[in-house]
Amino acid sequence: MSLTGTPFFVTAIVVAALAVVVPLLVWQKIGGSAVVRGAVRLFMVLVAQASAVLVVFVAVNNANGLYDTWGDLLGIDSHVGAAPDLGVDGTGGRSIAKEPRIKQVFTPVDDSRMGPGVQITELTGRVSGADGEVYVWLPPQYDDPAYKAKDFPVVEMLPGYPGSAKDWFTNLDVTGQLRPLMEKGEVKPFILVAPRTSLLAGQDTGCANVAGIVNADTWLSVDVRKMVTDNFRATGRADGWAVAGISAGAHCAAKLAIEHPDRYRAGIALSGYNDPAAESDSITAGDRTLRRETNPLWMLTHAKHPPRTSLFLTGQPGDGYEDGLALRKAAKPPTGVWVQKTGGGHLNVVWKPLVPEAFRWLSEQVAGVQDAKGGLSPDGGGVNAAVIQATGRRGTPIRQHQGRG
């Protein structure tokens, strides 16, 4: 039985109820010596307490998307088959554009909490050596005959740690919030992609490549990206791609957007951090060089050229806000950084209401629907991202944002 979802939660509640009712019914009927009666009664009390704790755990896990499978919970699953040294660009010298197209099998998800239209595939990363599930949702316009020859922009969505790839669909209700905005033209018709990020048992990869351990960066920025363009009408151009994350996923989003402006034009980071050591299970924090070189602030200040990318950063004081301000201060054109102060804690209920605003902002940073030659469609062009990043000017002001470009 799946760790997440309604069936296991209901089962846990029933077991907890029985663990209370049964002792009440048999308490005085237990036979044997005093030692035996005491042992049986103690056992029943412990079972009742354990089942109550289980109900609370399942409720918290479902609400926060912490663990998706029993293997994730028990720390016994590894999603890394190999981790070769892939070099600075994470491709191992391979020309990804020349790699053969690989068709994936997609099936509808069986979790009703994710909403309609979400598909899942099991992907084996041919470059990274990692593997895992990837969820994909197509925008309302995708099956419209008027768009049959168009390529769509894409957003990769990353959960926190520990976290489930389902999290943006379940706890943040990203499709329920964005579908009507896409239909009204307030948000570009993005293909939404949510890949597994928990690749190592009990360890946070920081979305980094660490030879011999994991190639999480390449898994996300090369393998998943290629899978999407191989199987859907998705643009392959960087100006049509973005990455979004919460908590540890926000750290990843900022890191990937800064490190790979040739793959992503923008990043959304909700309550993230710069120093990988903010996550105690980070594999990059334990190595002095890795800790420094995977810090988005260090990456931004030591880039040979300011990356052509834009960042939308949120956080409250002591939880991401100062990190965002530091990135904004360090940014130089054409890098653009917008920072928004929040409150209310490090919680999904804080991030969920930010989704519409963040994606409205994103719609002004990336290119829209493109024709087969890469040109913008008449109704999907959007705002010129290069002008925005170089000048900080945007078509529609967004409240409370502080821009630097």
Side-chain angles (χ1 to χ4, degrees):
M1 186 178 292
S2 173
L3 176 62
T4 60
T6 302
F8 184 64
F9 187 36
V10 172
T11 301
I13 292 175
V14 171
V15 171
L18 291 174
V20 173
V21 172
V22 170
L24 291 175
L25 296 176
V26 304
W27 193 268
Q28 297 299 331
K29 299 179 181 180
I30 300 173
S33 65
V35 172
V36 171
R37 292 197 303 275
V40 172
R41 288 167 177 167
L42 177 60
F43 175 75
M44 289 191 297
V45 170
L46 293 176
V47 170
Q49 291 179 332
S51 60
V53 170
L54 177 63
V55 170
V56 173
F57 164 77
V58 175
V60 171
N61 187 59
N62 286 348
N64 294 280
L66 302 177
Y67 300 99
D68 204 24
T69 67
W70 290 103
D72 290 339
L73 173 63
L74 300 175
I76 57 176
D77 273 359
S78 172
H79 290 263
V80 178
D85 187 343
L86 298 175
V88 176
D89 71 349
T91 66
R94 299 164 72 168
S95 174
I96 305 304
K98 296 180 180 179
E99 291 290 311
R101 296 173 65 90
I102 304 296
K103 298 299 293 182
Q104 290 288 126
V105 175
F106 288 83
T107 57
V109 299
D110 58 5
D111 188 342
S112 60
R113 299 174 305 150
M114 299 182 73
V118 182
Q119 308 171 62
I120 183 174
T121 190
E122 294 292 332
L123 175 65
T124 298
R126 295 176 179 271
V127 182
S128 67
D131 63 78
E133 71 275 16
V134 183
Y135 297 97
V136 177
W137 180 84
L138 303 175
Q141 292 87 343
Y142 192 86
D143 291 324
D144 186 331
Y147 290 80
K148 66 180 181 179
K150 305 297 182 182
D151 290 339
F152 287 76
V154 184
V155 182
E156 275 188 77
M157 305 180 303
L158 313 179
Y161 171 85
S164 164
K166 298 179 179 180
D167 208 19
W168 278 81
F169 295 108
T170 56
N171 295 313
L172 300 189
D173 190 24
V174 65
T175 60
Q177 294 196 75
L178 294 185
R179 177 188 288 273
L181 299 180
M182 291 181 183
E183 291 173 339
K184 291 186 290 187
E186 296 181 23
V187 168
K188 283 191 170 76
F190 295 109
I191 295 174
L192 303 181
V193 180
R196 166 176 281 272
T197 56
S198 296
L199 300 175
L200 296 173
Q203 294 179 287
D204 172 35
T205 68
C207 300
N209 281 359
V210 184
I213 299 177
V214 65
N215 287 319
D217 183 322
T218 297
W219 160 251
L220 296 170
S221 69
V222 176
D223 285 329
V224 171
R225 198 173 185 279
K226 185 177 187 301
M227 181 276 291
V228 174
T229 57
D230 279 357
N231 289 271
F232 299 96
R233 297 196 312 276
T235 180
R237 291 172 38 173
D239 64 3
W241 275 74
V243 57
I246 56 175
S247 190
H251 165 77
C252 287
K255 171 190 173 293
L256 292 172
I258 292 171
E259 186 174 15
H260 301 299
D262 59 325
R263 300 171 195 173
Y264 304 100
R265 181 61 73 240
I268 296 171
L270 308 181
S271 297
Y273 50 83
N274 291 329
D275 186 351
E279 172 48 62
S280 60
D281 289 335
S282 169
I283 63 171
T284 58
D287 180 278
R288 181 179 299 178
T289 300
L290 278 175
R291 178 178 175 181
R292 179 181 68 246
E293 294 181 355
T294 58
N295 182 320
L297 181 59
W298 187 92
M299 295 167 65
L300 187 59
T301 57
H302 287 77
K304 292 182 178 180
H305 305 285
R308 183 172 295 283
T309 194
S310 296
L311 299 175
F312 176 96
L313 309 166
T314 75
Q316 62 183 356
D319 183 25
Y321 181 61
E322 293 83 359
D323 296 73
L325 293 179
L327 287 170
R328 193 186 71 182
K329 182 178 180 180
K332 299 177 180 178
T335 307
V337 176
W338 285 259
V339 180
Q340 180 169 316
K341 183 187 292 186
T342 61
H346 196 83
L347 301 166
N348 286 321
V349 294
V350 174
W351 302 321
K352 182 177 177 179
L354 296 172
V355 169
E357 185 175 6
F359 275 78
R360 285 190 180 99
W361 170 88
L362 185 60
S363 294
E364 295 182 339
Q365 312 306 315
V366 301
V369 177
Q370 302 175 1
D371 62 31
K373 296 180 180 179
L376 298 175
S377 69
D379 55 353
V383 181
N384 187 310
V387 173
I388 291 171
Q389 293 155 0
T391 67
R393 294 192 298 271
R394 294 173 293 163
T396 304
I398 298 179
R399 295 186 305 276
Q400 302 180 35
H401 289 188
Q402 303 176 50
R404 176 187 176 97

